[in-house]
Amino acid sequence: MKARQSDRFASMMFWLVSIAIVALLVAFLGLILGRGLPYLNPEFFNGSDGVRGQLFNSFYILALSLIFSLPVGLGAGIYLAEYAPQNKLTDLIRLSTESLATVPSIVFGLFGMIIFVNKLGVGFTILGGSATLALLNLPILVRVTEESLRTVPRSYREASLALGATMWQTLRKVILPTALPGLITGVTLVAGRALGETAILIFTAGMNVSRKLFDVNPLAAGETLAVHLFAAKSNPLPGTNADQIADGTAALLIIMVIVFNLCLTLPSRWLQHRLLGKDKK
């Protein structure tokens, strides 16, 4: 009887904690969107102080950073989970990866400024910012990939190999589709972090935006929305309403993250069903 009561009490506590977290999240989103949505009009994007350049730079830097980091991060995670032997070297690699994942982003920003801005001479550009963001994303991608693949039951691998499939076929047809939700979660986490990152981009991409609309030159200035929000509040320009700019930019950032997550999650669910053959009768 006591065990059943303890179980009910624990369940109730978990429900209360979950409801509190969801309520806090809804309140946070409601506050940000409620204050910023009224300012999201054509003038906010295309006016003399519009954010169309910063909006484009945010997605451009995000795309470049994912292009740089995804092949290396996913490849390293797959190697550690499926191919690497269990020895002190791989333990040291895992320890180093976990340590890098906890380094403050401003340290990566200073590192990127020294390497890309000063040593390689690319200056405060989109290329320098995206390359430094890729370094920030790598440790998280490696750990999330390895952990996602390790959650796949060993019996799946054994059954596939017993049927004559090669390790590559097992990895491509069985392990990766099963681990796809975890992998997508990892990519979503690093993408959301990259969209909201400020400290790194101030030191590497700068606080200016190109005068050309949709400038795809990677050596152009690369101010993003998050950096624009920081600049609007910390150093407002004379004659501008910093509060309106900050509120609108914050709401736009929230919408970007939500839309990006939906665009990444929904196709991944469809792809997982296709790869696992769940839509076949």
Side-chain angles (χ1 to χ4, degrees):
M1 189 64 182
K2 289 184 177 179
R4 183 172 296 179
Q5 290 176 345
S6 300
D7 181 67
R8 288 180 178 176
F9 178 76
S11 300
M12 185 179 65
M13 292 302 297
F14 288 136
W15 270 105
L16 289 176
V17 170
S18 302
I19 292 172
I21 292 174
V22 172
L24 183 64
L25 179 61
V26 170
F28 173 76
L29 292 177
L31 176 64
I32 298 295
L33 295 177
R35 294 181 59 173
L37 283 180
Y39 304 120
L40 298 185
N41 50 43
E43 180 68 18
F44 183 80
F45 292 94
N46 299 315
S48 58
D49 298 321
V51 300
R52 61 185 185 279
Q54 289 84 352
L55 179 62
F56 174 76
N57 284 345
S58 297
F59 283 106
Y60 192 30
I61 288 180
L62 171 63
L64 287 180
S65 67
L66 291 179
I67 290 173
F68 294 152
S69 60
L70 280 181
V72 180
L74 295 180
I78 292 172
Y79 174 77
L80 288 174
E82 301 297 330
Y83 295 97
Q86 297 297 324
N87 53 36
K88 292 184 178 179
L89 178 60
T90 53
D91 291 340
L92 179 62
I93 293 174
R94 290 189 181 93
L95 179 62
S96 302
T97 305
E98 291 173 356
S99 300
L100 282 175
T102 61
V103 173
S105 61
I106 194 170
V107 177
F108 278 98
L110 293 172
F111 177 78
M113 185 178 68
I114 293 172
I115 299 298
F116 299 109
V117 178
N118 296 333
K119 297 294 183 182
L120 298 181
V122 299
F124 295 100
T125 59
I126 291 173
L127 180 62
S130 57
T132 311
L133 274 180
L135 295 178
L136 177 74
N137 293 340
L138 273 177
I140 300 175
L141 280 174
V142 173
R143 293 303 297 152
V144 169
T145 302
E146 184 181 3
E147 293 302 324
S148 298
L149 267 60
R150 287 187 181 280
T151 59
V152 179
R154 176 169 291 277
S155 58
Y156 287 23
R157 298 172 175 80
E158 295 173 348
S160 177
L161 295 173
L163 291 172
T166 64
M167 186 59 201
W168 168 243
Q169 290 173 325
T170 301
L171 179 67
R172 188 165 56 90
K173 296 286 187 179
V174 178
I175 300 174
L176 288 179
T178 308
L180 191 59
L183 298 177
I184 294 298
T185 301
V187 175
T188 304
L189 287 174
V190 298
R193 188 178 183 186
L195 280 174
E197 186 55 51
T198 304
I200 281 181
L201 297 177
I202 289 175
F203 288 113
T204 55
M207 301 177 70
N208 294 307
V209 65
S210 175
R211 294 180 178 179
K212 295 181 180 178
L213 183 61
F214 306 135
D215 192 352
V216 295
N217 182 4
L219 298 180
E223 186 185 55
T224 62
L225 279 176
V227 176
H228 184 64
L229 173 60
F230 170 77
K233 294 298 289 184
S234 62
N235 188 24
L237 295 176
T240 60
N241 192 325
D243 291 335
Q244 290 185 5
I245 295 174
D247 290 341
T249 305
L252 185 59
L253 270 173
I254 294 293
I255 294 173
M256 283 171 49
V257 172
I258 293 174
V259 171
F260 185 82
N261 288 348
L262 291 176
C263 291
L264 202 61
T265 303
L266 296 180
S268 71
R269 299 287 184 186
W270 174 83
L271 180 62
Q272 186 187 27
H273 279 256
R274 291 278 298 175
L275 292 175
L276 292 177
K278 290 183 178 179
D279 56 340
K280 297 177 180 179
K281 295 181 179 180

